[in-house]
Amino acid sequence: MKKILFASSEVHPLIKTGGLADVAGSLPRALAELGQDIRIVLPNYQSLKKTEDVRFISTVTVNHIDSNILETQLPGSNVIVWLVDCPALFNTPGNPYVDESGNPWDNIADRFSLFCRVIVEIAMDRGHLNWRPDVVHCNDWQTGLVPALLSLESNAPSSLFTIHNMAYQGMFPATTFNNLNLPLQLWHHDGLEFHEMLSFIKGGLSYANRITTVSPTYALEIQTPEFGYGLEGLLGHKHKVLSGIINGMDLDQWNPETDTAISEPYSFKTLANKMINKTSLQARSSLPVNKSVPLFGLISRLVEQKGIDLLIDCLTEMVDMPLQLVLLGSGDKSVERKLLDFARLYPKKVSVTIGYDEALAHQIEAGVDAFLMPSRFEPCGLNQMYSQRYGTIPIVRETGGLADTIEDALPKSLSNNTATGVSFKEVSSGALLEAIKRTMLLYHDKKTWKKIQIAAMEKDFSWQNSAKQYLALYQEI
Ligand code: ADP
């Protein structure tokens, strides 16, 4: 049995802004089910969902600042969560990264450096918790200083650093390094310095014993200039300790057999019931109810990463084709406006909902025939996994986790029943449009379509699978 301290700036269902929270809420649970002693450490934000049983267990002083350690449990599990309670830094409205108006916290470096220092105290068993981990598993830049600070300790536990998205690095001016009172030994090119700036993520990349990211393909991509954001050299140098492990998905929440948000549950044995979800979605989206027209969906943050501009460039041609489109998302205002304009011009073809709507997301996954993910990059991606589980064929750009979780419908994969989606390589609206046309051809070949649906629905995207791979790494280090 391994003792693992799992450090994350967000953990579902306590606090969530993105995919990191899902991983931090699911992976520890799966590791606990594999018999490991795992504890989560998280800041005690004001906006944290309140749990019933929270008790004070100790006080840790770092850098002349006192933090209380509160103990609670991850809802619905026995996993212990330690909350770093430092009201001066975390008892403010807003989310972990931005204030109520959406502006990044101006003291964000102070917040997460304190968090990191407290994690180090716990890891070194100086937090009066009577527990010493074998491994500290850090996630993203907010915990990047931990492996760096541990490198200065003797008899420190091993560390693993997981990159969920290289686009966020925690970069600050050099003066921040001094203001944070960080040990001078860490200020050099192979340490925390990046072009005369302080880089939190470099702490993880330079000092952790192992580095992982959330898909094997993304692990390769971040070693190239296009995806490495200047750190591709360091990552290339570390390739022997760098690997990719695909995230699992929440099989309880995303299960077409038990989903209470959809009109009619179904499984691969009762696939005909998926049609009921399609017609209800058409009705609620004010599209003509038509069983035979292929219905395409998209649910996304509307940001450049997701390649929505490629879709916008295809829309003029798409509306001339016999298909319908249901889109849900929010983000870039100009993208929102363009999509709404299309929906206004072509109300019988395109339905657009701007906002965040969990129930509608489930209804789209269940109701559409094909799901669009034309991402420029995608470290792992979740919706393509949800889609497959719902017998909805994902159309993806071949990048990151999308490349690793979809088997493109080509003659060979079709003949051996492994095809589960459609993928395209080039970042262009032309390539996306080709993939859409290819999907339409498959759709009208009912037998083949059903074969792809069943292969997709039978795939194993469980956390158990991924947790075993993390456990193997913990054991290795
Ligand atoms: P990312 O974490 O980069 O946004 P993922 O595909 O990994 O992308 O995860 C996105 C998650 O957020 C999925 O569960 C998706 O369904 C959900 N989501 C994104 N936008 C919306 C929205 N507007 N309404 C409801 N759910 C959304």
Side-chain angles (χ1 to χ4, degrees), residues 16 18-20 22 165 254 299-301 305-306 328-330 353-361 365 371 373 378-384 386:
K16 171 171 171 170
L20 168 60
D22 291 320
N165 193 333
W254 293 91
I299 305 162
S300 184
R301 293 187 289 125
Q305 173 193 341
K306 302 293 179 182
L328 166 64
S330 66
T353 306
I354 299 300
Y356 193 95
D357 186 335
E358 196 85 35
L360 180 56
E365 284 292 5
F371 191 93
M373 283 185 93
E378 197 65 75
C380 179
L382 285 170
N383 272 308
Q384 84 281 10
Y386 303 158

Side-chain angles (χ1 to χ4, degrees), residues 349-424:
K349 291 262 163 155
V350 184
S351 159
V352 173
T353 306
I354 299 300
Y356 193 95
D357 186 335
E358 196 85 35
L360 180 56
H362 283 250
Q363 288 151 12
I364 292 176
E365 284 292 5
V368 302
D369 297 298
F371 191 93
L372 296 157
M373 283 185 93
S375 305
R376 290 199 151 70
F377 70 94
E378 197 65 75
C380 179
L382 285 170
N383 272 308
Q384 84 281 10
M385 295 195 252
Y386 303 158
S387 294
Q388 289 174 84
R389 191 125 200 270
Y390 279 68
T392 292
I393 304 312
I395 303 172
V396 305
R397 201 178 85 72
E398 203 182 307
T399 181
L402 301 178
D404 294 332
T405 53
I406 301 270
E407 193 61 46
D408 192 10
L410 295 173
K412 188 166 169 221
S413 60
L414 285 170
S415 71
N416 62 20
N417 291 333
T418 53
T420 62
V422 171
S423 71
F424 63 98

Side-chain angles (χ1 to χ4, degrees), residues 3 42 54 70 87 90-91 115 142 166 188 226 228 232-233 248 256 310 312 314 328 337 342 346 407 415 456:
K3 289 188 191 156
L42 170 78
V54 182
L70 312 178
F90 297 120
N91 193 12
F115 181 46
Q142 296 84 4
M166 269 308 285
H188 53 88
E226 193 185 349
E232 59 277 7
L310 305 181
I312 290 175
C314 288
L328 166 64
R337 223 174 302 118
F342 263 98
Y346 303 97
E407 193 61 46
S415 71

Side-chain angles (χ1 to χ4, degrees), residues 28-65:
R29 206 184 295 246
L31 284 160
E33 281 165 20
L34 292 177
Q36 308 307 306
D37 179 5
I38 183 158
R39 322 254 166 134
I40 297 174
V41 55
L42 170 78
N44 190 28
Y45 307 108
Q46 190 184 82
S47 44
L48 205 75
K49 193 173 141 195
K50 299 290 170 267
T51 47
E52 276 166 23
D53 176 29
V54 182
R55 52 193 194 95
F56 165 86
I57 47 172
S58 82
T59 301
V60 175
T61 307
V62 288
N63 225 6
H64 312 294
I65 302 171

Side-chain angles (χ1 to χ4, degrees), residues 5 22 34 39 58 92 106 114 160 164 233 242 264 298 319 343 368 376 384 416 420 435 453 466 477:
L5 181 62
D22 291 320
L34 292 177
R39 322 254 166 134
S58 82
T92 47
D106 50 19
L114 175 104
L160 185 149
H164 297 263
L242 166 64
E264 185 69 33
L298 174 139
V319 292
V368 302
R376 290 199 151 70
Q384 84 281 10
N416 62 20
T420 62
Q453 284 182 302
S466 319
I477 55 178

